[in-house]
Amino acid sequence: MSKINSFAKNLRCPKCGREYEINEIHQLCECGSPLLVSYDLKEAAKQFNKESLKGREKSLWRYRELLPVQDDENIVSLGEGFTPVIPLKKAGEKSGISKLFIKDEGVIPTGTFKARGAAVGVSRAKELGVKVLSMPTNGNAGAAWSIYSARAGLKAVIIMPEDAPSITRNECAAAGADLYLVKGLISDCGKIVARSVKENGWFDASTLKEPYRIEGKKTMGLEIAEQFGWKTPDVILYPTGGGVGIVGIYKALTELKELGFIEGKLPRLVAVQAEGCSPIVKAYNERKNESEFFEDSKTVAFGINVPKALGDFLVLEAIYKTDGCAIAVDDEKILSALKELAQTEGTFVCPEGAAIYAAAKELRKDNWIKEGESVVLLNTGAGIKYPDTLSFDVPYLEKDAVLPLR
Ligand SMILES: Cc1ncc(COP(=O)(O)O)c(C=O)c1O
Ligand SMILES: [Zn+2]
């Protein structure tokens, strides 16, 4: 891999504006807010343009200038990123959205977009000398961080709710992580992690408590812009739990705009949640800048069962600044959207991804999505990671059976 400079400059608090040194380990700002990586975009613009990307490898590492890893030696990669954008012609006809696309993260290592955050987060943790990291997870992030930590030679201590998809448990354990289950929600797991990292001096890799996972997820936004020939789509829908993905996409688009790669209005960003866990939707409906803890949350779309996100104010800002919106869909609609996409398009998406298709249909019905607008569904993971979410009655045959003509 050729040596390309990172233009990461420092860590900046989006709440109080405090700045921190980039080459030291920092978690939250003194004021309690997440920290974000700032780049010297003026300097970057002198050396980095659309042409620079020609011929580079088709992974998220093609955007090295806009990633925080300083030294190539510290990159921990399994070839993640540059996932396909696929037109959904039949689903588009069915839903009345003539320019409907899916960006499919199901084909990435570990089967979900969490690999992006893990690749960049673990690379940066390694670069900063971290030996042990710990995080609460709804399953997929823990699996990805366990796998990338194993590759990097770091110890991962993962805590997940007992209801998390069992496949993700096995991924963590197979990768040699220290894995613990909790009879509770991700918020309960988070409290155990917070106490344990304090006690043991571990690196806290919880959502937005370290500044680098979001930089990996940001690459979804960079890719969408590049894959659309630097003319961005009108609407991007994203299944929102902790909110890192949607905030990352917004960060990517604003950085690209400042660099002069894209112009004009940014795509309207839509945070999609499940009705059984919709704190961001409630805050959006009340035009608030922060959400409240969503009691007794429950949904089949396990990855978006996050009752209170640390970065909720950043999610809401991304929605308001792009004239986007937040919408909730119920589990029944999620499951029927999942089957519909698989059966009409051959795309077997995760329940979180199915939620955004269900939401797009609702938004088209309400004419929030207008005729002729281009719409990207960000499918965050593969349906095969949820083997037990759907169940079908499959008939048995006798060994000497002959099937009738259909
Ligand atoms: C498949 C899937 N989609 C979406 C999300 C939500 O991600 P974010 O934290 O970026 O909102 C998760 C998080 O666990 C997930 O596993
Ligand atoms: Zn601050």
Side-chain angles (χ1 to χ4, degrees):
M1 201 181 284
S2 65
K3 178 85 189 147
I4 304 171
N5 280 341
S6 160
F7 287 91
K9 188 173 63 177
N10 57 26
L11 301 173
R12 193 170 186 284
C13 173
K15 250 193 185 148
C16 74
R18 272 196 192 88
E19 291 182 349
Y20 295 82
E21 165 62 38
I22 188 101
N23 284 320
E24 292 168 357
I25 294 180
H26 290 288
Q27 307 246 226
L28 294 176
C29 177
E30 279 167 56
C31 78
S33 160
L35 293 171
L36 299 177
V37 180
S38 281
Y39 292 83
D40 187 345
L41 294 174
K42 282 213 175 70
E43 205 45 45
K46 290 185 200 156
Q47 299 170 46
F48 178 47
N49 55 44
K50 295 173 199 171
E51 294 298 305
S52 322
L53 293 166
K54 289 227 166 92
R56 287 197 188 169
E57 65 173 301
K58 293 210 155 151
S59 82
L60 62 77
W61 298 103
R62 67 198 272 105
Y63 307 109
R64 280 295 307 281
E65 286 89 344
L66 300 179
L67 291 173
V69 179
Q70 309 286 306
D71 190 336
D72 289 3
E73 295 254 305
N74 295 319
I75 290 179
V76 184
S77 176
L78 293 164
E80 53 289 328
F82 228 78
T83 51
V85 173
I86 305 161
L88 298 178
K89 208 160 172 290
K90 283 185 268 176
E93 273 162 23
K94 252 184 140 100
S95 56
I97 304 172
S98 53
K99 292 182 199 147
L100 184 63
F101 302 87
I102 192 166
K103 182 163 174 67
D104 192 5
E105 297 287 297
V107 298
I108 213 167
T110 75
T112 76
F113 78 116
K114 298 281 183 183
R116 293 180 188 265
V120 175
V122 169
S123 297
R124 210 34 206 151
K126 182 181 164 200
E127 190 158 72
L128 292 169
V130 168
K131 300 279 179 265
V132 184
L133 56 84
S134 183
M135 66 193 300
T137 175
N138 271 339
N140 289 324
W145 281 72
S146 298
I147 294 279
Y148 281 86
S149 292
R151 190 164 172 82
L154 307 187
K155 185 72 186 164
V157 184
I158 308 291
I159 310 189
M160 68 170 71
E162 65 168 351
D163 298 339
S166 57
I167 194 167
T168 60
R169 263 189 219 180
N170 291 348
E171 287 177 275
C172 295
D178 285 354
L179 173 68
Y180 301 93
L181 301 178
V182 171
K183 292 182 196 297
L185 293 173
I186 189 170
S187 41
D188 301 303
C189 303
K191 287 178 199 150
I192 300 173
V193 168
R195 285 192 290 270
S196 309
V197 294
K198 198 160 163 230
E199 189 68 26
N200 302 317
W202 297 338
F203 184 65
D204 191 340
S206 307
T207 299
L208 287 171
K209 286 196 181 167
E210 62 79 49
Y212 301 112
R213 177 200 293 218
I214 184 173
E215 295 302 302
K217 294 190 177 182
K218 178 179 91 175
T219 57
M220 292 185 285
L222 301 176
E223 289 175 17
I224 289 174
E226 186 177 1
Q227 288 169 314
F228 276 80
W230 307 112
K231 291 187 181 61
T232 49
D234 295 302
V235 178
I236 300 173
L237 291 102
Y238 190 88
T240 303
V244 189
I246 192 165
V247 175
I249 291 172
Y250 177 63
K251 189 171 189 284
L253 296 170
T254 46
E255 287 172 1
L256 286 177
K257 197 161 175 185
E258 212 176 316
L259 274 175
F261 279 46
I262 57 171
E263 288 169 6
K265 208 175 159 324
L266 295 185
R268 306 196 310 275
L269 299 180
V270 179
V272 178
Q273 300 201 297
E275 265 179 20
C277 183
S278 46
I280 299 285
V281 178
K282 183 169 181 287
Y284 168 79
N285 287 338
E286 295 165 0
R287 292 297 180 273
K288 294 214 171 114
N289 294 325
E290 282 184 20
S291 66
E292 289 157 27
F293 190 93
F294 196 95
E295 298 291 343
D296 303 322
S297 62
K298 196 171 176 359
T299 167
V300 290
F302 207 77
I304 52 176
N305 189 351
V306 180
K308 164 84 178 152
L310 186 62
D312 54 358
F313 70 102
L314 296 169
V315 175
L316 289 156
E317 184 190 330
I319 295 171
Y320 296 139
K321 287 256 174 82
T322 60
D323 292 325
C325 71
I327 177 172
V329 285
D330 66 30
D331 280 5
E332 205 182 306
K333 283 198 175 129
I334 291 175
L335 293 176
S336 92
L338 205 162
K339 286 187 208 153
E340 190 178 309
L341 272 183
Q343 289 167 15
T344 55
E345 296 283 0
T347 49
F348 186 21
V349 303
C350 60
E352 296 81 358
I356 51 178
Y357 177 50
K361 294 208 284 190
E362 296 291 316
L363 291 173
R364 179 67 192 105
K365 245 190 251 159
D366 295 347
N367 209 33
W368 190 90
I369 294 174
K370 307 267 177 334
E371 169 57 35
E373 287 192 319
S374 51
V375 176
V376 174
L377 306 177
L378 217 150
N379 173 44
T380 41
I384 49 172
K385 285 206 77 175
Y386 296 74
D388 305 321
T389 298
L390 295 179
S391 62
F392 298 95
D393 286 329
V394 181
Y396 277 84
L397 292 174
E398 296 301 330
K399 281 187 184 154
D400 59 354
V402 178
L403 292 174
L405 184 65
R406 298 192 44 172

